[in-house]
Amino acid sequence: MTESRSVRLTSESHCDDFPVLSGTIGPDVIDLRTLPQKTGLFSFDPGLGGTATCTSSITYIDGDKGILLHRGYPIEELALNASFTETAYLLLYGELPTTDEYQVFRTNMNTHRLLNEQIRNFFNGFRRDAHPMAILCGTVGALSAFYHDGLDISQPATRDLSARRLIAKVPTIAAWAYKYSIGEPFIYPDEEMSFSENFLHMLFARPGNHYRVNPVLARAMDRILLLHADHEQNASTTTVRLVGSTGANPYACISAGIAALWGPAHGGANEAALNMLQSIGSREGIPAFLEKVKDRNSGVRLMGFGHRVYKNFDPRAKILQATCHEVIEELGLERDPLLDLAMELEKVATEDDYFVSRKLYPNVDFYSGLILKALGIPTSMFTVLFAVARTVGWVSQWKEMIEDPSARINRPRQLYIGQPERKFVPMSERG
Ligand code: CMC
């Protein structure tokens, strides 16, 4: 971070200079940390769309150009050449691993997949129809009650241990939440399998059915996970950083991130996109549905379209579009009416002036839902899968924040628009 120049903010009563800071790439920022002291004023930015709340060297997005870099590497190159586990190493430690580093990391991570056997008991406390996100959120938070040796966040080795544990154990909890919801026995993790093979195995194997992981589908799962691993300061990552800024333990922080991800405007979008397709029903229903979307008063949105940052094609969506076709071909699902409807909706919407003029393109959730459906994963598990992937980003960003000497507890201010001070009126005098 360098200070290149300053900007002068002037008002009737103030004239102050504020430094302008430059990162390696991307827009400069005005350093407003001294704004209240110098001027007695605060900045007002609901939604934080114009505010950088931290420095980070993990992920870079240029939304206008449709660029996404992890530690400098374009997402397209990672998706084509690296595995999810390799990308996790990159996000956590800043460099791609050597062969030896990768083997040590992979072996170590795989041993962390198993859960303390007592955690099994938690599942019985949930109703069978509980949403798996509810189970995931509660159980991940409760890991802090089991892994006490991961709670001292002042130690780098302990932070690393907790980070690895979370990445490795969240898939086991996720798969067991699914198994519980369908009344099947839990499948224990297999240390020999890759991250994605093991995850598919825990989701779909049954005692005695000799489940074999299809390599095309394992690759598709790996790609979905890789593409969701991190995405800069989105709502759930910001939540993890905010909770982490209080010194809370990492299991509590990631549980908070899972809660934030659950919302339909964030991680719930792929589930919402598929539900939307089901409610449209057929190609014939598209025009009437799009009319509703365009009617401001209807409150209906085209789920899986639009992004706060990307005002161009989301690069992840492009990769998933191709993966989606690969999976459909492998499984012989070309004639699936829902997929057919999705392709038609994409075509119509991307040519429609309403979406073109607002720069609303399909985002990653439009395709990930379709692929997951083709893989046989129920819609209620979609956001859970997103959480499995994003845990890598959350723990990387959490570690970066704890290791940043300038990090402080996040405590924004407000523009108060309520009653000014007034005198208390006893109930007997209130009429
Ligand atoms: N369908 C219809 N209109 C839309 C949509 C949409 N999906 N998204 C934005 N618009 C319109 C919006 O009504 C507004 O129109 P106008 O200028 O006439 O008022 C304009 O586009 C700008 O929208 P905005 O609400 O200012 O955009 P935002 O940056 O606040 O919202 C968003 C971003 C992702 C919440 C929104 O695009 C949306 O709700 N999309 C659908 C949900 C979705 O797919 N979410 C997943 C996001 S990607 C996952 C991730 O990276 O976490």
Side-chain angles (χ1 to χ4, degrees):
M1 179 169 68
T2 53
E3 188 179 323
S4 49
R5 58 202 151 96
S6 63
V7 287
R8 179 157 297 174
L9 298 184
T10 49
S11 68
E12 278 168 18
S13 52
H14 296 285
C15 174
D16 288 290
D17 290 331
F18 293 90
V20 173
L21 307 177
S22 306
T24 35
I25 37 175
D28 294 344
V29 299
I30 307 173
D31 183 349
L32 292 176
R33 280 175 289 187
T34 54
L35 185 71
Q37 293 89 324
K38 281 185 177 166
T39 66
L41 300 171
F42 291 97
S43 60
F44 180 61
D45 183 17
L48 298 175
T51 298
T53 56
C54 60
T55 57
S56 181
S57 49
I58 300 176
T59 293
Y60 173 76
I61 302 174
D62 183 330
D64 293 326
K65 296 192 183 130
I67 292 173
L68 168 59
L69 308 177
H70 288 325
R71 304 285 191 183
Y73 295 104
I75 192 71
E76 294 85 349
E77 289 186 27
L78 292 171
L80 220 59
N81 302 304
S83 67
F84 174 68
T85 305
E86 208 177 334
T87 306
Y89 185 99
L90 174 71
L91 289 168
L92 267 175
Y93 304 115
E95 294 297 336
L96 287 166
T98 62
T99 312
D100 287 350
E101 284 166 342
Y102 181 69
Q103 285 314 331
V104 172
F105 180 66
R106 186 179 186 273
T107 309
N108 177 259
M109 291 284 281
N110 295 5
T111 59
H112 284 302
R113 287 176 178 167
L114 206 58
L115 297 173
N116 181 303
E117 191 62 8
Q118 262 180 277
I119 294 174
R120 277 185 74 109
N121 300 334
F122 281 16
F123 290 83
N124 292 330
F126 288 96
R127 281 169 52 139
R128 286 274 171 193
D129 61 356
H131 197 290
M133 279 300 276
I135 302 182
L136 190 70
C137 200
T139 310
V140 170
L143 292 180
S144 53
F146 283 87
Y147 300 105
H148 298 145
D149 56 345
L151 302 183
D152 180 3
I153 59 167
S154 67
Q155 299 304 317
T158 316
R159 292 197 292 271
D160 196 42
L161 173 67
S162 294
R164 291 181 181 210
R165 260 193 196 136
L166 277 155
I167 297 169
K169 291 187 196 304
V170 167
T172 312
I173 300 172
W176 286 13
Y178 171 57
K179 287 296 196 189
Y180 183 75
S181 73
I182 56 170
E184 285 189 3
F186 297 146
I187 301 295
Y188 283 87
D190 184 321
E191 288 185 22
E192 298 303 313
M193 291 184 177
S194 76
F195 191 96
S196 299
E197 286 167 348
N198 172 59
F199 189 44
L200 286 171
H201 160 78
M202 290 192 294
L203 285 172
F204 295 121
R206 287 200 301 271
N209 80 346
H210 303 295
Y211 175 76
R212 290 209 197 298
V213 181
N214 176 327
V216 175
L217 305 191
R219 180 74 195 131
M221 172 61 80
D222 210 68
R223 203 166 270 176
I224 291 182
L225 295 174
L226 187 153
L227 293 174
H228 284 85
D230 192 52
H231 210 225
E232 207 224 52
Q233 307 310 320
N234 55 82
S236 58
T237 302
T238 301
T239 303
V240 169
R241 280 184 178 262
L242 189 142
V243 177
S245 78
T246 70
N249 73 70
Y251 306 100
C253 296
I254 302 310
S255 175
I258 294 169
L261 187 73
W262 199 352
H266 190 8
N270 53 9
E271 183 176 344
L274 212 64
N275 291 338
M276 171 194 76
L277 290 173
Q278 264 144 2
S279 76
I280 297 172
S282 66
R283 281 171 170 243
E284 290 68 44
I286 292 176
F289 175 74
L290 290 184
E291 279 318 302
K292 241 192 269 171
V293 168
K294 292 178 204 173
D295 173 5
R296 275 170 164 264
N297 302 321
S298 72
V300 178
R301 286 202 160 190
L302 178 52
M303 301 311 284
F305 264 66
H307 201 277
R308 172 60 63 82
V309 179
Y310 293 116
K311 302 302 170 197
N312 198 322
F313 222 99
D314 176 344
R316 303 167 304 165
K318 269 193 205 157
I319 301 164
L320 278 193
Q321 188 184 38
T323 308
C324 186
H325 290 292
E326 271 168 44
V327 169
I328 289 167
E329 201 175 305
E330 172 71 13
L331 296 174
L333 293 173
E334 288 91 342
R335 289 171 201 279
D336 184 318
L338 208 63
L339 296 173
D340 180 60
L341 168 62
M343 297 306 147
E344 181 63 16
L345 182 59
E346 180 203 333
K347 186 169 170 296
V348 175
T350 48
E351 288 169 1
D352 186 305
D353 188 54
Y354 175 93
F355 298 95
V356 175
S357 62
R358 289 171 178 75
K359 299 186 176 172
L360 300 170
Y361 295 87
N363 60 48
V364 71
D365 292 307
F366 190 75
Y367 299 105
S368 64
L370 293 172
I371 301 174
L372 295 176
K373 178 180 183 293
L375 292 178
I377 291 169
T379 41
S380 62
M381 281 294 289
F382 286 7
T383 317
V384 174
L385 253 105
F386 193 161
V388 166
R390 189 52 61 85
T391 298
V392 170
W394 290 331
V395 294
S396 306
Q397 301 262 356
W398 169 78
K399 264 167 93 270
E400 184 181 65
M401 184 208 62
I402 300 285
E403 286 156 17
D404 178 354
S406 69
R408 305 198 299 157
I409 186 168
N410 284 9
R411 179 38 173 109
R413 301 303 299 262
Q414 62 173 11
L415 179 61
Y416 179 69
I417 54 168
Q419 295 284 352
E421 185 172 339
R422 50 184 171 161
K423 205 167 161 37
F424 180 81
V425 182
M427 201 182 287
S428 57
E429 292 171 23
R430 284 177 224 158

